[in-house]
Amino acid sequence: MPVTVETPTEKWTGSVRKVTLGATAEQGGTRARTVTVGGETTLPFLHFEGKMPNPPAIAIEIQDYYPEDWSPLLKEAWGEALKDPAIWAERAEGYGADLITLRLRGVDNEDNETTPEEAATTVKNVLAATGLPLIVRGPGQAELDNELLVAVAEAAKGERIALGLCEGKNYRTIVAAALAHDQLVISSTPMDVNLSKQLIILISDMALPLDRILMDPTTGALGYGIEYGYSVMERLRIAALTGDTMTQQPMICFVGEESWRQKESKAGEGVPEAWGDWAKRGVTWEAMTATTVLHSGADIVTIRHPETGEIVKGLIGKLMAGS
Amino acid sequence: MPLSGLEIYKLLPKTNCKECGFPTCLAFAMKLAAKQAELAACPHVSEEAQAALAAAATPPIRLITISSDGRKIEVGNETVMFRHEKTFYHEPGLLVRVKDTQPLEEFEEVITKAASYSVERVGMKLNVSGFAVENVSGDPALFAERVEALRARADLPRVLISKDPAAMEAALAKLQGTVPLLYAADKDNWQAMAELAKKHNLPLAVRGQNDLTALANLVEQVKQAGLEDIVLDPGARGPVDTLISLTQLRRLALKKNFRLLGYPIITFPGEGAASEAEEVVLAAQHIAKYGGFIVLDRFDPATMYPLLTLRLNIYTDPQKPIQMEPGIYEFGEPTADSPLLTTTNFSLTYFSVAGEVESSGKPCWLLVCDSEGMSVLTAWAAGNFDAEVIAKMVKQFNIEEKIAHRRIVIPGLVAVISGELEDELSGWEVLVGPREAVDLPVYLKLWHT
Ligand code: B12
Ligand code: SF4
């Protein structure tokens, strides 16, 4: 043939760091298996020019108390399991999750503040109910986060759980707890490449090794800022591949939390007919948000609906074919 | 890819004869690069140089337009790999496929539903872009009949899918005055298809088989037959294959200026998917990663709405959030006693609030502040929606003349500014509204002066 097409490839010099969550009995924990993410030497799924040694992982989110405020669709999907985080975690494992994300709400449904002891007990129960590695997020209020996550880090000693969220104003205590009890942390910043780098630097300055830090670039849901998160992630990943070492952490995206907060997935009535069937729309909203961030570099997606898990797992399987 | 001044200089005679009105060829080249001069001003420029300059001035991905009587889809002319590098310009068409073997009633029903579909988001009406009709029957007469039925029901651009030039010809007789895309020329039928496209002056899709070299050669042949308006189907179908081949095509066009593959791409996510859900997420991939015409096998509002939303998001200019004109907006017919609310001028924020205020049925005033198109918390964090800004807006839009009471409702997320705002606006009472707009109707019911 007269013309031959040479496939243009990028010569990346950097790579994403590998981070392993969980520890098996041999490694001093009790997990049935560990999950390693990261290690990419190219943009997502472009296997022809580099490696993507680990598939992105799916984490299913559970909470310590019944999530009264959740979409009825999620309540229907999980049923009674929502009342007991241990049963919930077990079901999530059954649905094919790679990881469990436990979100501590901070208060129960009678508004009693969670004590560190209660948080520790919940974490132990969840660890006993599933063999999957664990991510634990605090309620997102600085003081309470510190109190609860310190207790959690201690209770899960040896398990290599990831603690979050470390934010600019509030990371020292969480990082100290991770250091003391051999855990990982999640560094979280609001959709900004430089802020993201800065916090990774601050955390690693506290002597936490970089292979124990995950990066949360902040996720916007479909229709609610996804384009900002998407582009910041692409920029972070390109920076990582060009050798900017403080951007080389695997990225975690809290897709479920963002997409199930929106009216599209929360509300079944009083919405335009053009929005279509509620149940299908809700799951599609979450699955599409997950798909989009996976294409801009997500290494872990945390989701809420089991059907989303199935769709996204199928997609990841196919995207990894040929790796 | 535009040439730099030095690259242009290399193509000029380098005699510095000054006839162009510039002291040197180099000076002229610099002006050309800056688009402040015309090449025609130099009487000595060679034909070869003219051709090279013309080629460099054409966009690396050709703009392709298809149209019906009233609407069109334009794709191509993209200039970047990643939206943050500049922006993506021409959003992909989302088309719905129908087949001439479908029972007529079902065929017409899908068309009517999809064509009349319209959903509103941030003040914009989003619609299905067009249709693809497939000649599955192999019968030219039936194909033509169905294309006619489609035209009667939907004034939206079309793609005609058939391997058979005779069927295409029959269908085209029903589409006079419009510009459909012909799909597709392949290695067996390209000559007849190219002839047909040329005769009717229509764009033609060229279909490969997951081999870009073979595709480029096929395009070369089609071009030699005299066609310029080309659309590519690289032939890849599943998630990883489409991602890789669409990325390679975009790179070849933009980074290598490889003309033979510098055309928009058509995709069929349903053909690479095992289920409806997979088709939808694959279509999402094609929106983010370089699809031009995306042909969907199913139409369902519950999946069309998210796809249209994603397309809107990805194709928003990263430098310019979609925003509202700051000012005082009226809902219902507010009086001097009606509630006054305030928010930012980020469209998404405005429309979340406007939607709820409307559905509450309560007449209201809404003061939309100039916060550079940012959401409530983003603007607050950036100093574009604080007590000072809000107070300034109250004065700028003469609120005190329109409203008798002195109460303003601020978003619950910025409750912290209420004290400062009371200091800024003397004589005013600041009320903290709910955090989420959804809770506004209940809140407004309880509001009274
Ligand atoms: C997208 C986003 C951005 C985008 C901007 C998008 C835009 N055009 O505004 C970008 C990436 C540019 C950005 C930048 C920043 N961001 Co930002 N961003 C977000 C994000 C993810 C979503 C915001 C959004 O679009 N929300 C949707 C809109 C519709 O919500 P809303 O405006 O609040 O409106 C709702 C309610 O407030 C209510 N409402 C609105 N008006 C009214 C009025 C009344 C009367 C009532 C009752 C209710 C009501 O109704 C709406 C629906 O419920 C949030 C985090 C998150 N997940 O929420 C962070 C967030 C807002 N950002 C944050 C920060 C800190 C920043 C930066 C300062 C960081 C930085 N240095 O880069 C910059 C500031 C901008 C700058 N200097 O350039 C912080 C704010 C922290 C805080 N608590 O103050 C947040 C909360 C993230 C975080 N967790 O830290 N951000
Ligand atoms: S007219 Fe042409 S050759 Fe003469 S100086 Fe200008 S560019 Fe050079």
Side-chain angles (χ1 to χ4, degrees):
Chain A
M1 287 194 206
V3 218
T4 15
V5 175
E6 271 178 55
T7 313
T9 53
E10 299 282 352
K11 306 235 170 343
W12 302 112
T13 52
S15 61
V16 179
R17 242 168 231 112
K18 284 186 189 161
V19 170
T20 300
L21 293 98
T24 60
E26 271 162 37
Q27 297 156 327
T30 63
R31 302 302 78 207
R33 60 190 174 88
T34 61
V35 170
T36 300
V37 291
E40 297 91 330
T41 60
T42 181
L43 293 170
F45 314 109
L46 299 185
H47 311 297
F48 66 95
E49 71 177 10
K51 289 201 178 57
M52 192 162 177
N54 300 296
I58 297 173
I60 290 186
E61 179 184 343
I62 66 170
Q63 305 209 346
D64 53 351
Y65 298 110
Y66 183 77
E68 204 66 73
D69 54 338
W70 274 22
S71 166
L73 294 175
L74 291 168
K75 290 184 184 164
E76 198 184 305
W78 292 103
E80 290 293 300
L82 298 183
K83 293 182 178 151
D84 182 340
I87 297 174
W88 193 351
E90 206 183 323
R91 289 257 319 266
E93 183 171 356
Y95 280 128
D98 302 303
L99 300 161
I100 301 292
T101 295
L102 168 65
R103 177 79 191 259
L104 303 171
R105 295 177 69 91
V107 286
D108 66 14
N109 285 307
E110 271 79 55
D111 251 3
N112 305 306
E113 203 164 278
T114 310
T115 63
E117 294 72 32
E118 284 164 344
T121 308
T122 306
V123 166
K124 282 188 183 152
N125 290 343
V126 170
L127 285 168
T130 166
L132 301 180
L134 190 62
I135 294 166
V136 181
R137 279 186 62 180
Q141 303 150 29
E143 265 169 55
L144 199 53
D145 270 4
N146 287 342
E147 237 177 86
L148 300 185
L149 292 175
V150 168
V152 165
E154 190 181 351
K157 191 161 182 80
E159 299 283 10
R160 287 227 162 205
I161 65 172
L163 301 168
L165 300 175
C166 295
E167 298 187 69
K169 285 173 285 196
N170 180 42
Y171 65 94
R172 294 174 171 279
T173 312
I174 303 175
V175 175
L179 277 167
H181 302 289
D182 198 23
Q183 315 290 16
L184 286 64
V185 301
I186 300 169
S187 165
S188 177
T189 44
M191 296 190 176
D192 185 275
V193 173
N194 291 323
L195 291 178
S196 184
K197 280 169 69 170
Q198 277 165 25
L199 189 54
I200 303 287
I201 294 171
L202 292 172
I203 291 173
S204 69
D205 280 352
M206 286 181 68
L208 190 70
L210 287 164
D211 65 1
R212 279 161 61 190
I213 306 174
L214 295 168
M215 183 163 81
D216 162 27
T218 301
T219 305
L222 174 61
Y224 297 87
I226 197 169
E227 67 273 33
Y228 295 98
Y230 178 82
S231 286
V232 165
M233 289 172 72
E234 289 200 323
R235 290 173 55 203
L236 280 166
R237 185 50 50 91
I238 290 168
L241 296 176
T242 35
D244 186 344
T245 57
M246 290 299 149
T247 60
Q248 292 173 334
Q249 307 313 119
M251 292 191 272
I252 177 168
C253 294
F254 296 99
V255 164
E257 175 181 356
E258 291 302 324
S259 45
W260 286 99
R261 220 179 49 190
Q262 312 306 342
K263 193 167 177 180
E264 277 80 358
S265 23
K266 255 189 148 166
E269 279 165 35
V271 302
E273 212 183 295
W275 286 15
D277 178 73
W278 179 27
K280 195 166 175 181
R281 173 178 76 239
V283 169
T284 306
W285 214 263
E286 185 177 41
M288 205 176 282
T289 306
T291 301
T292 310
V293 297
L294 283 168
H295 283 86
S296 53
D299 293 283
I300 301 176
V301 287
T302 281
I303 51 136
R304 284 184 174 174
H305 200 291
E307 268 178 55
T308 310
E310 214 175 293
I311 297 168
V312 176
K313 209 174 177 72
L315 178 71
I316 292 174
K318 293 193 174 182
L319 286 166
M320 289 302 290
S323 61
Chain B
M1 218 56 54
L3 297 180
S4 70
L6 276 182
E7 283 166 326
I8 297 174
Y9 173 66
K10 287 186 191 141
L11 297 167
L12 295 176
K14 306 194 191 76
T15 53
N16 301 337
C17 75
K18 301 189 174 58
E19 284 173 47
C20 55
F22 294 92
T24 60
C25 293
L26 182 61
F28 180 60
M30 291 301 173
K31 289 289 170 190
L32 276 180
K35 296 202 165 57
Q36 291 162 354
E38 292 289 330
L39 186 63
C42 168
H44 308 296
V45 68
S46 70
E47 256 176 50
E48 195 190 328
Q50 271 175 13
L53 284 163
T58 55
I61 299 175
R62 191 174 171 86
L63 186 74
I64 298 292
T65 307
I66 66 173
S67 64
S68 58
D69 293 304
R71 307 249 217 119
K72 63 178 179 181
I73 306 175
E74 271 186 338
V75 291
N77 248 354
E78 298 300 335
T79 59
V80 291
M81 296 296 300
F82 303 101
R83 57 188 292 286
H84 65 256
E85 294 174 311
K86 179 117 185 77
T87 186
F88 291 169
Y89 291 96
H90 294 97
E91 53 179 37
L94 288 170
L95 303 100
V96 174
R97 166 152 52 184
V98 285
K99 300 179 175 171
D100 66 358
T101 45
Q102 271 172 295
L104 183 62
E105 208 174 308
E106 180 189 308
F107 180 89
E108 292 182 335
E109 193 188 316
V110 175
I111 291 168
T112 309
K113 279 194 182 146
S116 62
Y117 183 74
S118 173
V119 66
E120 209 172 305
R121 203 171 169 85
V122 294
M124 288 183 238
K125 282 199 171 24
L126 310 180
N127 304 297
V128 171
S129 320
F131 290 93
V133 219
E134 183 167 353
N135 173 219
V136 180
S137 68
D139 175 359
L142 180 60
F143 189 44
E145 212 174 276
R146 288 305 173 86
V147 166
E148 190 174 23
L150 167 64
R151 186 177 192 173
R153 270 175 182 72
D155 180 22
L156 289 175
R158 302 139 194 133
V159 176
L160 299 182
I161 305 180
S162 178
K163 283 197 178 65
D164 175 14
M168 286 288 195
E169 187 77 73
L172 286 175
K174 309 289 183 193
L175 289 179
Q176 276 168 15
T178 73
V179 183
L181 169 66
L182 305 184
Y183 180 95
D186 58 24
K187 62 180 180 7
D188 302 319
N189 70 0
W190 68 268
Q191 265 164 316
M193 283 294 184
E195 238 166 71
L196 189 69
K198 200 169 168 218
K199 177 173 147 202
H200 295 277
N201 196 18
L202 296 174
L204 176 65
V206 177
R207 178 179 175 157
Q209 283 163 323
N210 222 354
D211 171 351
L212 296 185
T213 291
L215 180 64
N217 282 285
L218 197 51
V219 169
E220 168 92 76
Q221 287 173 308
V222 167
K223 281 184 82 160
Q224 274 166 10
L227 277 194
E228 291 293 341
D229 288 336
I230 292 168
V231 169
L232 305 175
D233 172 3
R237 287 299 181 261
V240 73
D241 289 347
T242 53
L243 177 67
I244 287 177
S245 59
L246 269 65
T247 303
Q248 291 178 339
L249 284 172
R250 176 71 73 102
R251 278 194 194 165
L252 281 161
L254 296 188
K255 305 209 154 188
K256 302 278 173 198
N257 207 9
F258 189 76
R259 296 284 166 189
L260 288 177
L261 297 177
Y263 299 97
I265 300 162
I266 184 168
T267 69
F268 298 87
E271 293 180 10
S275 66
E276 181 181 354
E278 210 174 289
E279 175 183 12
V280 174
V281 291
L282 194 48
Q285 176 197 81
H286 298 165
I287 289 173
K289 295 291 177 190
Y290 319 134
F293 298 96
I294 302 172
V295 179
L296 300 162
D297 283 344
R298 302 168 183 89
F299 168 73
D300 182 339
T303 53
M304 187 54 80
Y305 175 39
L307 285 170
L308 289 166
T309 303
L310 181 64
R311 186 178 73 174
L312 177 69
N313 290 163
I314 295 288
Y315 279 75
T316 296
D317 185 343
Q319 306 303 323
K320 289 184 233 140
I322 306 175
Q323 39 185 296
M324 304 293 298
E325 201 54 46
I328 179 87
Y329 288 69
E330 299 179 11
F331 290 85
E333 282 170 18
T335 66
D337 295 327
S338 301
L340 168 68
L341 315 175
T342 188
T343 189
T344 72
N345 74 327
F346 183 30
S347 285
L348 183 60
T349 302
Y350 169 84
F351 283 100
S352 328
V353 176
E356 299 303 335
V357 171
E358 253 158 33
S359 78
S360 78
K362 183 127 182 163
C364 281
W365 302 94
L366 180 61
L367 175 63
V368 176
C369 296
D370 183 359
S371 53
E372 300 192 357
M374 289 181 182
S375 78
V376 168
L377 278 181
T378 313
W380 175 75
N384 291 322
F385 188 63
D386 53 16
E388 214 178 300
V389 171
I390 298 173
K392 197 176 115 198
M393 296 289 148
V394 167
K395 305 229 158 66
Q396 185 177 331
F397 295 108
N398 300 322
I399 305 297
E400 298 200 341
E401 287 165 24
K402 296 192 169 82
I403 288 163
H405 63 80
R406 292 286 173 265
R407 286 174 170 183
I408 184 165
V409 184
I410 61 170
L413 289 178
V414 289
V416 288
I417 68 169
S418 63
E420 285 165 51
L421 187 56
E422 287 191 346
D423 294 343
E424 293 273 345
L425 288 173
S426 62
W428 282 72
E429 185 185 350
V430 174
L431 304 174
V432 176
R435 297 165 68 90
E436 300 285 343
V438 203
D439 301 319
L440 265 171
V442 174
Y443 177 84
L444 286 172
K445 237 178 234 147
L446 304 173
W447 203 96
H448 52 87
T449 34

